[in-house]
Amino acid sequence: MIDFNSELNPSQLEVVNCVDGAVLVIAGAGSGKTRVIEYRVLNLIQKNIPPQSILLLTFTRRAANSMLSRASSHEPRAKLVEGGTFHSFAYSILKKYSQLIGFDNFSILDEDDSQEALGLSAKKLGVYEINKKFPKKDTLKKIISMSINKERSIGDILEKEYPDFYDYASIIERIKNDYQRYKIEKAYFDFDDLLIYLRILLTKNEPLRKELSRKYRYIMIDEYQDTNKPQAAIAYLLGKDHGNVMVVGDDAQSIYGFRGATHENIMEFPKLFPGCRMIKLEANYRSHQKILDVANAVLNDMKSKFSKSLVSAGKNSGDKPELLLFRNGYEEAEWIAQKLQEIRDQQGIPFCQQAVLFRSAYVSIPLQVELGRIGIPFQVFGGLKFYETAHVKDLVSHLKVMANPKDELAWARIITLLDGVGPKTAQNIISKIDPGRGFPALLKTCFSGQGKGKKYEHELRKLTEVLERACKPEIKLSESLGLLIDYYYPILKEKFDDWQQRINDLEALKDISVKYSSLRDFLADFAIDPPEKNAPATNPEQEEKPLCLSTIHSAKGLEWDCVFLIGLVEGVLPVSFSLDDEEGIEEEHRLFYVALTRAKKHLYLAVHYENHGFSYNQFNQISRFIDSPEVLSRLEQKAGLNQYEQDSTF
C-alpha cells in the first residue's frame, strides 16, 4: 500500500481521492499529472473497484502503458485496467460490434493507403488534367481529415487553413464523398472512421451504449485539451449515465488546432457534466519561480482560460529570464552558439540538456549554419534540417552549377524542374554541356536553340537568362540569390501545396548569403556533411549527445535545464496567418506559454531587429506576447531598447 499522503501534495491528493462524479483536473505545466493518474488508478483498485471497469484513454499507447506499468508494479491487478488511445479503443469496440452498423468485417487503411485512395478519387474526376495546381493527395487527406475532426465544411476549412484552394471546395467535397463511398464498398476504415463509427454506434444503438457505460464505470482521459469533437462526444456518450469521468489537461497548453483538436472541449466540459468538480494542480516541479513568474504573466494576459498561478515546488533560486535584443539573425546566432558553449563549459550543463525552440523551423536557419561552422552537434525536431528540404536543394542546385558547370547532378535537378522535361530529356540536354567554354559562353552555346519547338523551349530560355544575369561578376551573391528566388517562385507555387510555409526558407537563405562575398565559400559552409557528424567528440568512445533544435509543437511534454526561445516577433510568433484570426492568436499565445514552461534553470528570449526580404529590408516588431508591461517587468533586458526606439516599435 502506498502512503498517498506522504507522496502527494494536497491538490494531487484531492484528485487521487476522488472516486465518484465528474472531475476536471487543470494540470499546470510540470505539475506531476502522470503520477496523479497512476496513483488514482491504484486508489480506485485499492477501494475494491474492479480494474476491468476502469478505462484510461491517452494520446499515445506508450503513455497508457507507462502509467499502467508503474501502477501494476505496486498493484498487479492494475494490469487488468483497459488503457490505450482513443483509436485503439475504438478499434477494439468496432471489431466486436461493427455488424450493428452494417459491416460484417473491415480493414484498416493506414495514412499512405488513405492518401492513395484519395489520389485515385481525384484522378477519376480528372482534376489534375484540368489544373495541375489542384491539391496533392497528402494535402487532400489533411483537408478532409480536418473537416471531419473539426466538424466543419470543406469550404470553412479551406477559407481558414488553405485559402489558395478555396475555389476547389465543391470538387474536394465530391472527392470526399467518392472516397467515403469507396471505403464503404471495400469495407475500409481509416483512422478518422474509427472515431466516427464508434460515435455512430454509441448514438444509434442505445442498448449497446448502456452496456458499455455499465462496463466502464470509471473513465479517465489524459491530455483532454488535445481532443477533437468526435473524441469529446465519445467520452460524453460513455460517461453520461454514471458521470464518473475524470479528464486531466491544461487549457493553456491546447496547441494542436491544426490537427483538429479544439480548445472548446476542455472549456465546455463542466457544462457537459453539471456538478463537475474542478481541481487545479498549480505546484510546479520543473522550473524555479522566476521562470514561472513570466509564465504566470503570460497566463494572465490570455482571454479564454481557467485562471491559475504556478508556484515552484522546489528551490526558488535562479536568475530572471533574459530578454536579448540583436540587430540581425547573424548576431543572434553567434551569441547563442557562444552562450551554449559557455553554459556547457562553465556550468557543466551538456548540450543535450539545452534546447533552442521556435515557432517555425526557418527561424533557426542562421543558427544551424553557425552551429555547423563551430562544430556544436545538434538535432532538429519538427521538420527536416534546412539543407535537407526539397525546395532549398532546388535553389542551391542553381548556385552549384554557377560554381561548377560540371555538376551533372545539380544540372539534372534544375532542368527537370522545367515544365515538360523528364529525366530522359534532361539527360539529353546535359550531354551537350561543355564546361570548357566558361559559364556564360556555355549557356549561350549549349542552351540556345535547345528544345526548339518543344513545350519547354520558353522555360529553358528563362533559365538561361536568369543564370546569365546571376553569374555576372559585378553583382553580390545576395543579389544573385534574389534573382534566382524570383525565378524559382512560380516553380515553388506549382510544385508544393504548402509553398507559403516554404517561402520563408528561401528568404532565410538570402538572409544568410548577405555575409558571404564568395559563392564557393557559401556552398562550402552550406553543403558540408550534416554538422553533428563533424562535431568533435568530447569522449573518445562516444560522441557528445546533441543539442536539441525544436519547434514548440514538438517540444510539448519535454523539458531542458536551459532553453533559448527565438523568433519572438510579429509574423513569426504569432505566426503571420493567425494575425487576423482571434482564435488563432489565442492558440499562438498558448504556444508561447508552452515554450516558456519547458525551461528548468535558465530561460533566454531572443529577438532580432533587422530582417531581409526578397528585395527589401524590413524592421521586425517585437511579439505582442512579450510587449506587455506585466511580462516585460519579469524579464532581465540584457540589450537596452533605446538603440532601437528611433527606428522601430521595439
Side-chain angles (χ1 to χ4, degrees), residues 272-337:
L272 278 181
F273 293 93
C276 168
R277 184 175 180 180
M278 184 187 297
I279 304 171
K280 297 177 183 178
L281 303 182
E282 298 172 296
N284 178 284
Y285 292 87
R286 176 182 299 153
S287 311
H288 65 69
Q289 192 59 48
K290 288 178 182 175
I291 291 174
L292 298 181
D293 287 343
V294 180
N296 287 332
V298 171
L299 282 172
N300 290 339
D301 285 339
M302 289 182 188
K303 294 178 182 177
S304 177
K305 64 185 178 184
F306 292 116
S307 296
K308 56 183 167 293
S309 181
L310 300 177
V311 179
S312 176
K315 295 179 180 178
N316 286 328
S317 61
D319 297 328
K320 256 187 173 185
E322 296 181 14
L323 174 60
L324 306 158
L325 303 177
F326 302 95
R327 182 160 296 280
N328 55 48
Y330 317 128
E331 289 183 4
E332 178 183 85
E334 288 170 4
W335 187 91
I336 289 175

Side-chain angles (χ1 to χ4, degrees), residues 2 162 232 238 292 375 438 580:
I2 290 177
Y162 299 89
L238 287 172
L292 298 181
D580 296 323

Side-chain angles (χ1 to χ4, degrees), residues 286-518:
R286 176 182 299 153
S287 311
H288 65 69
Q289 192 59 48
K290 288 178 182 175
I291 291 174
L292 298 181
D293 287 343
V294 180
N296 287 332
V298 171
L299 282 172
N300 290 339
D301 285 339
M302 289 182 188
K303 294 178 182 177
S304 177
K305 64 185 178 184
F306 292 116
S307 296
K308 56 183 167 293
S309 181
L310 300 177
V311 179
S312 176
K315 295 179 180 178
N316 286 328
S317 61
D319 297 328
K320 256 187 173 185
E322 296 181 14
L323 174 60
L324 306 158
L325 303 177
F326 302 95
R327 182 160 296 280
N328 55 48
Y330 317 128
E331 289 183 4
E332 178 183 85
E334 288 170 4
W335 187 91
I336 289 175
Q338 291 171 9
K339 190 68 175 178
L340 289 162
Q341 283 191 313
E342 177 187 308
I343 290 171
R344 183 196 64 171
D345 296 341
Q346 297 182 11
Q347 300 185 39
I349 298 176
F351 290 134
C352 63
Q353 282 301 315
Q354 302 184 62
V356 182
L357 307 183
F358 33 82
R359 171 62 175 87
S360 302
Y362 75 90
V363 177
S364 71
I365 292 168
L367 181 59
Q368 290 188 40
V369 173
E370 181 64 16
L371 294 173
R373 187 184 71 80
I374 67 175
I376 292 181
F378 69 92
Q379 286 183 311
V380 180
F381 296 89
L384 292 172
K385 285 188 173 68
F386 169 64
Y387 45 77
E388 294 173 341
T389 55
H391 53 295
V392 171
K393 285 184 175 180
D394 288 347
L395 201 61
V396 171
S397 291
H398 290 77
L399 297 174
K400 284 182 176 180
V401 299
M402 289 166 55
N404 176 17
K406 296 180 180 179
D407 193 333
E408 288 193 6
L409 293 176
W411 277 120
R413 189 175 190 105
I414 66 176
I415 291 174
T416 51
L417 291 172
L418 306 182
D419 191 21
V421 176
K424 187 175 180 180
T425 302
Q427 196 55 47
N428 182 50
I429 295 172
I430 294 167
S431 68
K432 295 180 172 62
I433 293 175
D434 181 1
R437 294 193 179 105
F439 193 68
L442 176 153
L443 290 170
K444 289 178 181 176
T445 57
C446 292
F447 287 170
S448 296
Q450 281 287 331
K452 203 163 188 176
K454 301 287 187 181
K455 182 179 179 182
Y456 56 84
E457 180 184 3
H458 176 65
E459 300 300 317
L460 191 57
R461 189 181 300 117
K462 284 201 302 184
L463 172 62
T464 303
E465 289 171 356
V466 74
L467 288 174
E468 268 194 287
R469 292 169 62 200
C471 72
K472 287 180 179 177
E474 64 269 21
I475 67 173
K476 297 177 181 177
L477 173 59
S478 60
E479 294 173 317
S480 296
L481 199 46
L483 291 170
L484 292 171
I485 289 171
D486 289 341
Y487 161 77
Y488 181 71
Y489 182 67
I491 297 174
L492 179 80
K493 291 181 70 173
E494 183 78 24
K495 186 175 179 182
F496 302 104
D497 288 344
D498 59 348
W499 64 271
Q500 289 171 308
Q501 282 75 48
R502 294 173 186 259
I503 200 170
N504 290 316
D505 290 348
L506 305 186
E507 291 183 9
L509 187 65
K510 181 172 181 261
D511 206 18
I512 293 168
S513 73
V514 170
K515 67 176 181 178
Y516 287 87
S517 57
S518 162

